[in-house]
Each structure stands twice: as C-alpha cells, then as structure tokens.
Amino acid sequence: MHRDLEEILISTPRLNAGIKKLGRRISSDYAGRSVTLVGVLKGCVLFMADLVRHISVETRLDFMMLSSYCGTQSTGVVRTVLDLKENIEGRDVLVVEDIVDSGLTMSYMLRNLKTRRPKSLEICTLLDKPSCRKANVSIKYTGFTIPNKFVVGYGLDYNEIYRNLPYIGVLKKEVIEGTKLCR
Ligand code: IMP
Ligand code: MG
C-alpha cells in the first residue's frame, strides 16, 4: 500500500469484478444498439479503459474535460475545458465518470449534453459518494457506493497525483491538510 494512504477501500480484484459486472449489464441493456461512451477526463481514464473491454456491443469513445475542483474543495463552478469531438445527436450516450460526489459536475454535464439531443443519456460511475449530494442526479450504473471519505487511485487524484495506483485508497488525514469533506 502507498505510504500516504490510511487504508485500501477497494482492492484491484474487487475493482476488476465490479467493472466486469458493469460491462455485462451495459452489454445486455444496449444489445443490438451502438453506444457512445463519453468519458469525463481525467479521472475516467483507467476505469473507462477497463470497462470497454467488457462491453460487447458496438462502442464509440469520446471525451470531455470539465474543471470544477481545486484540491479537495469543489468550487461549485463547472466549465468545459475540452469538448466532444463527435456529434451525439440521435445517439445512445453513456457518460463514464470516476465519482459522483456533490453531483454538481454531473448535473452540469447532463444539462449540457441534453441540448445536443442524444437519443438516450445515462450515467455510469465507478464510485458514488451519496452523503454529500447537492444536486439530484439519477445514476443508472454504479460500480461501488462509498462513505464520505476522500479517495484516490485508479484514476482519482489529489492535486493531480495518485491516479496511477491500481486500487482505490483513502488518503491519510495529514496528507489532506485542513480539508472539509462535506461542503
Ligand atoms: P462533484 O461535482 O462534487 O460530484 O464532483 C465530481 C468530481 O470531483 C469528480 O469527477 C472528481 O474529479 C472529484 N472528486 C469528488 N470526490 C473525490 C474524491 O474523493 N477523490 C478524488 N476526486 C474526487
Ligand atoms: Mg472527475
């Protein structure tokens, strides 16, 4: 385990099993259709790369980058840093996110994508932290529901580091100086 971590919350084998299950559900729900996965950079990268390997229907990949976070504090202000390359009008779109916390990022994302008139629009998140929700978002696919702890690894960062850890871990308190978790 990385020395900045207090505990490993979700081990690599548990991640693999959970993601395989999500891939199977998605493949069966979208059977006979084509799905456009919209990954939210950068946190989605490891999750999306593993998830797509378990999706058997025709799949397109696209990405958006939003900015809302500074350290562990959500500013509540979301802006598009990088937009989709493809036109999603009439497509079955599945947003792939690392974690839904306050829900502000996802509610911005849904509002934004809806204006482009996709045929369907759903969310797939690796982690759901429902205890800090501020915006009501309905999530179709959730890998793991977690308690109100600041987690890193498997794509998730703290000030841009720890994304490469192959598991989800909880950062030690002394590493997150003076951070309030519920905002
Ligand atoms: P929300 O807008 O509060 O739902 O936050 C969503 C974004 O905040 C996620 O996509 C993450 O990038 C970041 N985030 C929220 N909680 C955590 C965490 O525990 N660890 C790392 N990043 C987090
Ligand atoms: Mg994110």
Side-chain angles (χ1 to χ4, degrees), residues 11-181:
S11 67
T12 308
R14 276 188 69 209
L15 280 171
N16 291 341
I19 293 165
K20 191 171 176 180
K21 258 200 226 163
L22 283 177
R24 289 205 174 142
R25 266 184 68 201
I26 293 166
S27 302
S28 106
D29 291 355
Y30 288 86
R33 286 145 78 191
S34 167
V35 65
T36 300
L37 300 187
V38 171
V40 187
L41 293 170
K42 304 170 193 170
C44 74
V45 169
L46 279 74
F47 173 43
M48 190 152 158
D50 286 338
L51 179 67
V52 288
R53 288 175 238 229
H54 297 291
I55 298 180
S56 55
V57 299
E58 185 178 275
T59 302
R60 291 180 169 81
L61 305 184
D62 211 340
F63 296 93
M64 274 181 90
M65 195 187 295
L66 307 174
S67 134
S68 70
Y69 255 64
C70 177
T72 57
Q73 302 281 302
S74 173
T75 57
V77 181
V78 183
R79 96 197 141 83
T80 305
V81 174
L82 178 82
D83 207 350
L84 296 180
K85 171 134 189 318
E86 310 300 330
N87 182 0
I88 56 164
E89 185 169 350
R91 297 222 180 270
D92 288 306
V93 172
L94 182 57
V95 177
V96 179
E97 174 67 304
D98 53 359
I99 182 166
V100 179
D101 182 15
S102 70
L104 294 172
T105 306
M106 265 310 100
S107 93
Y108 167 88
M109 185 85 185
L110 293 181
R111 256 183 287 127
N112 179 314
L113 293 180
K114 263 180 203 154
T115 65
R116 309 179 199 201
R117 301 194 293 157
K119 186 165 140 209
S120 68
L121 182 59
E122 301 290 353
I123 298 173
C124 175
T125 187
L126 176 66
L127 306 176
D128 183 13
K129 201 155 67 172
S131 47
C132 282
R133 202 70 100 240
K134 285 180 182 165
N136 187 38
V137 283
S138 101
I139 303 171
K140 178 104 181 249
Y141 305 97
T142 301
F144 303 87
T145 300
I146 64 165
N148 181 28
K149 291 183 171 176
F150 194 81
V151 293
V152 294
Y154 201 70
L156 290 104
D157 72 305
Y158 175 60
N159 290 340
E160 292 301 326
I161 56 175
Y162 309 109
R163 292 194 200 272
N164 57 317
L165 301 179
Y167 44 74
I168 301 284
V170 178
L171 266 190
K172 280 183 182 161
K173 300 276 180 307
E174 57 264 38
V175 180
I176 318 172
E177 338 81 340
T179 294
K180 281 193 251 86
L181 280 176

